[in-house]
Amino acid sequence: MNFILYLLAEIAIAACDLAEVLGMAIGLNLLFGLDLLWGVGISFLDTFLLLYLQRLGMRKMEIFIIGLIFLIGMCFLIEMVFAKPDLGGIMQGFIPSMPNKAALYISIGIIGATVMPHNLYLHSALVQTRKINRDEGSIRKALKYNFWDSAIALNLAFLVNAAILILAAAVFHEHGINNIAELQDAHKLLAPTLGTEWAPRLFAVALILAGQSSTVTGTLAGQIVMEGYLRLRISPVLRRILTRLLAIVPAILVIYIAGDDKVGPLLIFSQVLLSMQLAFAVIPLIHFVSDKKRMGIFVISFYTKIASWLIAAIITVLNFQLIYNEVTGWIQDIHNVWATVGLVIGAIGLFVLLIMTILYPLIKNRKKVNMEVHPPFQELKEIKTSSFQRVALALDYSPSDKQVVSYALQLAEANTQFILIHVVESASSRMIGEDTDDYEKRHDEERMERYLEIFKDKGHAATYHLSHKNRVNAIAQICKENNADLLIVGSHGHRGFKDLIYGETVNRLRHRVKIPVFIAQ
């Protein structure tokens, strides 16, 4: 169950990234006349945008995202001023209605585009990224602020999507133009219909900006999902490249094989995929926050629980109605027995998975899940002592730590002082830095305290430092600030391609410090 839900979450992230790639490519095409294939290729260049923003700090990243959302909103606000929509028609449009099957397909896509299931994982992780007191009042205050943060973000997304629909209705439907199916067609007709060249330009700019704003959240969510589901942490650079390639490859194939005309349907399909994943993200979340054993006094109320399950049921029913409509339509069109069997099995499998997602958390005596990213703490026994002085130890909580501590004590003298160093590398820590207070940081501190006890039992003075910066830079800086005269690091035991996946420390570190580096094999 865990692995299947992980795959679904990754599909949702890839689908979101696909929409960003296509949106940016279409925006560049509309604004500069750039071929869509070239636009998709250029979209790969923003792969490293998030990595640069992370180096600037979380505050600057937040300002960047808010700035993008503000600019998108202003683009559509100006478009609305040009369009002069009928306010009565707008109010009437908020009454739910489903005139035909095509409307259901589009509506499901809008739900996926607004909520984006992977952001549920991201916001759940961001709750832990602020230092707060652990008393009830402080936690409730933090929950209140996070509630308003999520509510404002989702409503802004809702208003942007509503503005697009209102603009289309006011500009095209009111003028009897009912055959607009592609963004390119809408772009061409905005200027003659509204009487200004600014209308299509703002439309194209908004498309480009929308792709960039979602790129940031999609990448951060990808790191959260991979760490949370698989307890696997890889290089952020590699993570970003993989996510973007999963989006770029399908986009290039569709454009190259089927042509530019299929980009619009692919864009809508990516948002429908997001909505399809929504139930598999919402239902586990409801189970979690309804569990009194885990949540304690912060468990959700009975009425909140009812409302949550009702919303989840509506989303699920709409999605499976869509699946039924699409599958029956495909079966009628393809007239192939094996393809029909495959489609039916796939639909039934998805339904069974949904039932399992609802029922599995209710099963008693399930296998306990390891919440630690690092291996379990191992007691360090039979450690021999010797001699040395101000010694810095870089600990990564792997089995090599035993060798690092052992060599340090062998090289120690009676007055040797030890500086223990560990770099917290959770996704929250990368975003927030020193202000993070997530699960991993608290357990890293607890483990450091246990290491300190080992040195104190041997009669040595020891302090520890937890850092949230780049591994190499953090270790080098702490060694310099504490005047360490020896650094002991453990060998990670991998090289070559694995260095690209997990990151490489020792070789870079020995060039950054001006003291001997002892590598414990």
Side-chain angles (χ1 to χ4, degrees), residues 4-166:
I4 292 173
L5 291 177
Y6 162 72
L7 289 178
L8 291 176
E10 288 286 12
I11 290 171
I13 292 168
C16 183
D17 220 38
L18 175 60
E20 292 148 18
V21 167
L22 294 175
M24 184 172 181
I26 293 172
L28 292 172
N29 173 261
L30 300 181
L31 204 57
F32 304 110
L34 196 66
D35 186 83
L36 286 178
L37 274 177
W38 281 102
V40 170
I42 289 174
S43 70
F44 188 78
L45 297 178
D46 75 1
T47 298
F48 303 99
L49 174 64
L50 173 65
L51 302 174
Y52 175 72
L53 291 172
Q54 281 184 317
R55 292 178 60 186
L56 298 179
M58 186 59 186
R59 295 294 174 268
K60 290 184 176 63
M61 187 188 298
E62 288 176 340
I63 292 171
F64 175 78
I65 296 172
I66 292 171
L68 288 178
I69 295 172
F70 174 77
L71 289 173
I72 295 167
M74 289 303 298
C75 286
F76 283 111
L77 180 62
I78 296 171
E79 297 270 24
M80 297 277 280
V81 172
F82 291 148
K84 300 180 178 65
D86 175 40
L87 294 179
I90 293 174
M91 294 298 104
Q92 186 178 353
F94 282 108
I95 301 172
S97 62
M98 203 64 66
N100 52 48
K101 292 181 180 180
L104 175 63
Y105 187 81
I106 299 296
S107 300
I108 293 295
I110 291 172
I111 293 173
T114 304
V115 181
M116 293 192 293
H118 54 276
N119 276 354
L120 293 175
Y121 300 104
L122 177 60
H123 279 273
S124 296
L126 291 178
V127 170
Q128 304 180 64
T129 58
R130 292 290 187 269
K131 281 185 176 179
I132 59 170
N133 296 326
R134 311 310 295 179
D135 59 277
E136 180 182 349
S138 299
I139 293 174
R140 290 197 184 280
K141 186 177 180 181
L143 290 173
K144 181 181 71 173
Y145 287 136
N146 275 282
F147 168 80
W148 283 110
D149 173 58
S150 299
I152 292 170
L154 285 171
N155 278 285
L156 282 174
F158 166 75
L159 290 173
V160 169
N161 280 291
I164 296 171
L165 294 175
I166 294 167

Side-chain angles (χ1 to χ4, degrees), residues 27 49 104 110 129 170 180 187 209 247 250-251 254 261 265 303 315 368 398 477 486:
L49 174 64
L104 175 63
I110 291 172
T129 58
I180 303 297
H187 178 265
L209 296 178
V254 168
D261 294 341
Y303 295 107
I315 293 170
K368 290 186 177 180
S398 71
Q477 182 179 349
L486 176 69

